[in-house]
Amino acid sequence: MNLLVDGAEVSLAVLRKAWEAPCEVKLGDKARVRVAAAQATVDAVIAHGDQVYGVNTGFGQLAQVRISEDELAHLQGNLIRSHAVGVGEVLPDDIVRLLMTMKVIALAQGYSGVRPQLIDAICDLINNGIYPCIPSKGSVGASGDLAPLAHMSCVILGIGDARVDGKTIPAGKALAKAGLQPLVLAPKEGLALLNGTQVSTALALAAAFRTEHVLAAAVTAGALSADAIKGSDTPFDERIHELRGHAGQIAVAALLRQLMDGSDIRASHVDCERVQDPYSIRCQPQVVGACLDVLTHVCAVLQTEANAVTDNPLVFAESGSILSGGNFHAEPVALAADYLALAIAEIGALSERRIALLIDSHMSGLPAFLVKDSGLNSGFMMAQVTAAALASENKALAHPASVDSIPTSANQEDHVSMATFAARRLAEMLDNVANIVAIELLAAAQGIEFHHPQQSSAALENVIGQIRAVSPAYESDRSLAPDIREVAELVNGGFFDGPGRSILPSYSA
């Protein structure tokens, strides 16, 4: 993908592509003019002798300390070095690429007072596959993602480490290998690099993109489970959902109808005596549809944030004003991430309940634990226990991070968002749900096959074929761990999106 950053809003689809694969990013000519004008405003303020936070003062609690003009470049370099204090595992390359792309988008708006050369330097990192090693922990998401963005910025200065072609090497060597030189920062540039919500936003966006795949796979698994227990598709009737009016509910019900359309298994029990199915089958549109609405809302918030200017102070070249505010506070991202956590947990919780239903012969009408000769064979007994364990973990992980503020910087930053952790923990939750849904797909496919030669719908039989390509039918006891892993990888790769892709925000927008 080639991305020209020139002032137009960047879509979710483009942001997804920047996350999924290496890309080329370039600063457009119109953006260069805006950026240069803001940088000239900073130069004029310095020449006039005005005191402006972050330009010729210290930072945070040290904002009252005036810095002499001959030390301004040194000040910005010191800021980067002193703030590079992150700990923990480094962020994956795809997250780093996405956050650098968003940093380019923010700086290119022309309100940060940096030189075009600085933005070009970030583009050079992206375009040459140089991914700074950024520790994942150390940000409270208040004055921006200070520590992680400092580690990103270190590589521009030729210090720290970077990953190139999957290998970690010194930053100076990475730059030299690409024919690049370290950059000496100009006034305001270090602060513009460090202030910003790009790390927490990248983590949250990546989680939203993964949630799309998990949600679509969960709807597919739910349709399989409904057919496996000879459940009714009447609760998915369009008329029911139109009366409530929620867009996500209507969309999920339509998707379930589409997936189950033409099932011989469904046709075989249209006139059966069962009145209603359990909620985990019957209320899928209401539950997963609500989760889809959450996902849609979260994606809208994150798209806005990805296109936002979130450093401080901000430079308004038209008026010559430099205004200090708080756009770096990542509360919108924190709240969105916490909201998404609830939806992720619920997708997994409902899927786990359907697994429990499938293995219960009294409720499903299928062989106990979905295996022949149960007793001799334990079948899917322990797979459901694994799903239950993962669903329970997610209950704890879903606790909101945004309510836990802790003051920093000698109480100058007395309320923080915790957005970075709020977003980072979503990856673990999604790993859990991908495995839960994988178990349901395996169990539901097994359940459908007990009805053969009666066939499910063409769409669902195709899904069973995808599953059987990596996991043979369960005839007698064996370890399902490799099968779960293989199918979870398919879930995360979007292989079970099917027609569900049409309702996903980053694909349908």
Side-chain angles (χ1 to χ4, degrees):
M1 179 188 72
N2 294 312
L3 174 59
L4 181 69
V5 181
D6 212 9
E9 184 174 70
V10 179
S11 69
L12 285 172
V14 170
L15 293 167
R16 172 183 267 283
K17 289 177 182 177
W19 170 65
E20 288 179 330
C23 56
E24 295 277 332
V25 181
K26 182 180 179 181
L27 183 65
D29 292 338
K30 293 179 181 178
R32 286 184 184 279
V33 173
R34 293 193 303 272
V35 170
Q39 195 266 329
T41 302
V42 172
D43 286 346
V45 166
I46 294 171
H48 193 263
D50 295 338
Q51 181 169 322
V52 178
Y53 172 72
V55 175
N56 50 16
T57 73
F59 307 101
Q61 186 70 14
L62 302 175
Q64 306 307 317
V65 179
R66 181 72 179 259
I67 308 299
S68 63
E69 189 170 342
D70 61 342
E71 291 285 6
L72 296 185
H74 190 196
L75 172 70
Q76 299 301 312
N78 278 354
L79 177 67
I80 300 299
R81 294 179 181 89
S82 68
H83 283 55
V85 292
V87 299
E89 295 182 3
V90 298
L91 295 174
D93 292 350
D94 53 5
I95 298 290
V96 175
R97 182 173 57 245
L98 178 57
L99 73 87
M100 288 196 295
T101 301
M102 289 191 293
K103 178 56 81 173
V104 170
I105 294 167
L107 297 179
Q109 302 292 331
Y111 295 95
S112 301
V114 304
R115 296 166 297 164
Q117 294 97 308
L118 177 64
I119 304 175
D120 289 337
I122 303 173
C123 291
D124 287 338
L125 297 184
I126 298 168
N127 299 342
N128 287 280
I130 300 171
Y131 302 121
C133 290
I134 302 176
S136 57
K137 298 182 181 183
S139 174
V140 295
S143 288
D145 293 311
L146 294 172
L149 286 173
H151 285 279
M152 180 204 78
S153 305
C154 278
V155 175
I156 298 172
L157 308 184
I159 56 180
D161 293 321
R163 285 172 54 82
V164 180
D165 297 325
K167 297 179 180 178
T168 301
I169 60 176
K173 184 177 179 180
L175 293 177
K177 185 178 179 181
L180 304 173
Q181 295 292 325
L183 195 66
V184 176
L185 298 179
K188 176 70 168 63
E189 290 185 338
L191 191 58
L193 286 169
L194 266 56
N195 277 164
T197 63
Q198 287 78 30
V199 175
S200 52
T201 305
L203 288 164
L205 268 174
F209 296 148
R210 287 188 61 193
T211 303
E212 291 184 304
H213 292 321
V214 167
L215 186 146
V219 177
T220 299
L224 273 174
S225 293
D227 225 16
I229 68 158
K230 291 192 172 182
S232 173
D233 57 2
T234 298
F236 311 145
D237 189 293
E238 181 179 10
R239 293 168 291 181
I240 295 172
H241 306 285
E242 290 289 346
L243 286 177
R244 199 172 195 188
H246 292 296
Q249 179 177 329
I250 292 167
V252 170
L255 181 55
L256 286 164
R257 293 194 303 272
Q258 183 179 353
L259 288 167
M260 297 180 70
D261 184 50
S263 169
D264 292 337
I265 297 173
R266 173 63 186 120
S268 71
H269 62 91
V270 169
D271 297 320
C272 70
E273 295 181 357
R274 185 189 299 172
V275 178
Q276 291 182 330
D277 297 315
Y279 288 1
S280 61
I281 298 294
R282 188 178 7 140
C283 296
Q284 291 183 73
Q286 288 80 0
V287 177
V288 183
C291 295
L292 176 58
D293 285 337
V294 169
L295 176 60
T296 301
H297 168 74
V298 166
C299 282
V301 171
L302 297 178
Q303 182 181 357
T304 297
E305 191 73 6
N307 285 279
V309 182
T310 56
D311 60 290
N312 183 65
L314 298 177
V315 181
F316 296 85
E318 298 86 350
S319 63
S321 303
I322 300 181
L323 305 181
S324 185
N327 278 1
F328 48 64
H329 200 296
E331 192 77 2
V333 181
L335 292 174
D338 282 343
Y339 199 15
L340 185 58
L342 300 178
I344 293 167
E346 282 296 272
I347 292 168
L350 197 69
S351 179
E352 184 279 325
R353 287 293 80 204
R354 291 192 297 264
I355 298 166
L357 173 63
L358 287 164
I359 66 172
D360 185 342
S361 60
H362 301 291
M363 295 289 291
S364 69
L366 296 165
F369 301 105
L370 299 171
V371 69
K372 298 173 183 176
D373 300 323
S374 55
L376 175 63
N377 293 303
S378 295
F380 279 74
M381 180 188 296
M382 288 307 299
Q384 186 270 328
V385 173
T386 295
L390 297 175
S392 186
E393 280 189 17
N394 276 357
K395 294 175 186 177
L397 289 169
H399 184 278
S402 57
V403 299
D404 184 22
S405 177
I406 185 168
T408 61
S409 192
N411 280 310
Q412 176 73 8
E413 298 155 6
D414 58 352
H415 181 277
V416 302
S417 73
M418 298 308 299
T420 317
F421 170 65
R424 178 167 50 83
R425 63 66 145 89
L426 299 176
E428 184 177 357
M429 296 185 70
L430 284 160
D431 288 342
N432 288 342
V433 177
N435 281 304
I436 294 170
V437 173
I439 292 168
E440 184 187 0
L441 286 164
L442 289 164
Q446 183 85 355
I448 291 284
E449 289 175 336
F450 280 117
H451 297 304
H452 286 172
Q454 285 182 333
Q455 297 286 300
S456 186
S457 67
L460 294 180
E461 290 290 346
N462 180 62
V463 170
I464 293 171
Q466 290 179 290
I467 295 168
R468 289 290 170 253
V470 297
S471 172
Y474 196 101
E475 301 293 344
S476 60
D477 278 349
R478 68 174 195 269
S479 171
L480 273 174
D483 306 63
I484 296 167
R485 182 174 59 250
E486 291 282 348
V487 176
E489 288 179 4
L490 294 178
V491 169
N492 284 322
F495 284 86
F496 299 112
D497 287 2
R501 187 161 288 191
S502 64
I503 69 173
L504 302 177
S506 77
Y507 292 103
S508 59

